[in-house]
Amino acid sequence: MLEKPASLDALTILNNIPGCHLFLLPDAPRFTIAGATNEYLEITYLNRHEAIGQGVFETLSDDPDNPAATGVKSLSASLSYVREHKLEHRMDDQRYDIFNPVSGEFEIRVWSPINKPVFDQEGNVQYIVHTVRDITEKVQLREEGRITGQKLQESKSVLRNMMEQAPVAMLLSTGDDVLIENVNASMLQLMNKSSAEEVLGKTMLEAMPELAGQEAYQRVLNVRLSGIPYAGLEQPVNLLINGLIEIRYFNFSCTPVLESGEITGVLHVAVDVTLQVTTRKEIETAKAEIERQKRLYETINSATPDLIYVFDLAYHFTYANKALLEMWGKTWEMAIGKGLRANGYEEWHAQMHEKEIDYVSSTKTSIRGQVSFPHAVLGKRIYDYIFVPVLNAEGDVEAVAGTTRDITELKKAEELLKERERHLRTLIMQAPTAMCFMLGPDHVVDIANDHIIKLWGKPKEAVMNKPIFEGLPDAKDQGLEKILANVYATGETFRGTEHRVELVRNGQLDITYQNFVYEPYRDSEEKILGIIAITTDVTDQVMARRKIEEIVAQRTMELAQVNESLQHINKELQRSNQNLEEFAHAASHDLKEPIRKIHFFTHRLKEQLSARLEESELRSFNRIENATERMGNLIDDLLLYSHVSQRPHQREAVDLNDKVKRVLEDLELDIEEKGATIVLGKLPIVEGNKRQLQQLFQNLISNALKYSKADVRPQIELISSLSTNDGKPFHRIAVKDNGIGFQPEYANKIFHMFTRLHGKNEYSGTGVGLSIVKKVVENHDGYIVAESTPGKGAVFSVFLPVH
């Protein structure tokens, strides 16, 4: 039974599908018509109501007056194939004449048909879609081409003569293999051949194997097989030229040559248009690049905070970017076409720029300068500007372009840096000990005070502004090169004690012994600029001590006198070290002010420019502010370290229970924030400095809170017990936590100054806290031991003497 469309809308859509389609049931051999598009009905003169439900061959039969007609037979075979194999089938071009009810005769029609199956849910063929394309006119053109080919064949000799004399490249091929029968000189040149003998009698692929698989060769085969002429414009062809494959472009045509109605050959005509095509493409590429550059230029000009503008030679503005218009407080219409004075420039300022425009115009060279003038919003500012000539095609100046940059904040920053450098120079020059500053990886002596010049034993001009080992060649190969290179590369401070250094001083080789510190000097972005060296000549002390040791070995009887001398020398050493600590304390105080100014002006600059800053620039400002904050924290910690470096002169009984309770009160917010649990055992009363002891436990408990695990509540336990060491009794106060812990090999290193086991982005800090802890313990004649396993927390055991 015939299936009907599901609804009127579905039927309407089916009828109006573009193209000629017939929808058939697979009921062989009848193949009932279930539907047809309007376009198919129109081209076959069928009536929808009469056709639907009829067998396709009842409706579309062969012409009875044409005994050679094969339309019904071919179509029936194709539909049966689709039904049985469930596969699409494309038929050869098929003549299938159509009855015209108006004329009462069959019209000659040639079709290009294809039949496709439509499956139901079980995979069975439910319909067959018969789609056709009317190619009658195309076939008629093909017949006309055959006639043309016959005429060409009849006048073959005329064709050959024409080819030889033609100004374009021509080639005549024959047979299915495209055998080259004739070729003119122009075609030989395009084929990169020197004589016709190289190609005549060969197939086109034998003569030019690089054509295999290319579209141009396929076109030739299509013309040879179909007999339909082909003409193509700017067709790309890959040719073998001088051993290399090059792409060339051709306008070419292929025309079939007919003999007795049969295609016997193809006439090829080609014109090399490679130069025109590549030139056009280069022009198109250049135009696209110009447009891209134009868009880029306009985007940059509108987004940049720099002022960009153009003058004509009469001093009028012909262009001003957004930043300049905002600075003037004007619109484009108000400012463009106006002169300097009309846009608010004072007379002196206008005259200066007019003279500069005249100079650039007459000399064709640029000019640069700096000037200060008011901004409509920001007030008085300092600007750096440059004027450059704009030349026309003849090389004459037709305009003057300018760029101006606001350098007010840069100037302020430069002044701050200069102030910092002046301060550093003053500190070094006025230091009570030998001190210098060496710049860069070559350690160029930039600043050196009189104490260190005297220590070196060289004229000042012999060492200043030179690499240290060029000014002091006698100091080479004594291990100092490696030490300085490591400090500059790693940023780790080096401290040397009684380091032997041989120096030629005043023409004489001297063996000296020096206590020195090599400290990296950084800029605001933590980049190492150089090394500060602080040196104390302890040659006399070392030599004296060695002499004493010799005397002790030889003269035991004079031990008392030697001890008195040694005590005196030790006092001198202590005084020298105290001077160094006092100097470090003063230096830390004096560095606080420049750091504060840098932080203040950087913050103010960021607020002023916040509306125009890009994300990368905001990150740079944040890095500056973070770096200055870290530097301030570091200076504070150094100040604290300088305080605890001094052993307490007076001691008193200190109840550690009270001190720890005060620490817990100070850390109350941190403890609540972390959700920490503090277990406090009974702690002893010890003798010492209550302020330093409170700082000791402040640092240890803060450390335990800081290095806690992210997903675990901190548990911190303080317990006390008695212990002995070398027969001496000690109070052992243990601070135990359940934090992240550390590798056992770092148990001693963590107490070194500036030592950090984690990056600053993971955990904040300066690396000074545990150094302070160790110093306080040592000030109280005790010692500290750290024990840990990664991920299982740490135990810091403080041992203080029992009194």
Side-chain angles (χ1 to χ4, degrees), residues 525-526 623 626-627 630 756 758-765:
E525 295 184 354
E526 293 296 303
R623 288 181 62 190
N626 292 338
R630 288 198 303 274
R756 293 174 53 81
H758 305 277
K760 60 187 179 184
N761 292 329
E762 297 179 85
Y763 298 94
S764 61

Side-chain angles (χ1 to χ4, degrees), residues 252-296:
F252 71 87
S253 65
C254 298
T255 305
V257 177
L258 304 179
E259 249 182 57
S260 302
E262 296 293 332
I263 301 173
T264 60
V266 177
L267 179 65
H268 312 257
V269 180
V271 178
D272 189 347
V273 293
T274 303
L275 180 61
Q276 296 94 307
V277 173
T278 55
T279 301
R280 187 185 71 248
K281 288 186 176 182
E282 289 173 358
I283 292 173
E284 290 172 353
T285 301
K287 287 182 178 178
E289 178 61 20
I290 290 172
E291 287 299 319
R292 190 187 71 82
Q293 293 287 351
K294 182 179 178 182
R295 292 193 302 271
L296 181 62

Side-chain angles (χ1 to χ4, degrees), residues 217-230:
Y217 182 69
Q218 191 61 43
R219 296 287 187 187
V220 174
L221 295 179
N222 290 343
V223 173
R224 176 71 183 84
L225 294 174
S226 68
I228 300 175
Y230 174 79

Side-chain angles (χ1 to χ4, degrees), residues 675-679 704 712-717 736-739:
T677 300
I678 310 297
V679 177
V712 177
R713 291 178 178 269
Q715 290 188 349
I716 303 171
E717 183 178 6
K736 182 179 180 181
D737 63 62
N738 63 339

Side-chain angles (χ1 to χ4, degrees), residues 761-792:
N761 292 329
E762 297 179 85
Y763 298 94
S764 61
T766 61
V768 178
L770 289 179
S771 299
I772 293 174
V773 168
K774 184 177 181 182
K775 194 66 179 177
V776 170
V777 172
E778 291 175 348
N779 287 347
H780 290 76
D781 303 317
Y783 62 98
I784 184 170
V785 176
E787 301 168 284
S788 178
T789 300
K792 296 184 178 180

Side-chain angles (χ1 to χ4, degrees), residues 375-390:
H375 188 285
V377 178
L378 302 177
K380 188 175 182 180
R381 312 292 289 174
I382 302 173
Y383 295 92
D384 177 81
Y385 66 90
I386 185 171
F387 289 175
V388 296
V390 179

Side-chain angles (χ1 to χ4, degrees), residues 746-761:
Y746 296 122
N748 292 323
K749 185 178 179 180
I750 58 175
F751 295 105
H752 294 175
M753 182 75 81
F754 305 122
T755 295
R756 293 174 53 81
L757 302 185
H758 305 277
K760 60 187 179 184
N761 292 329

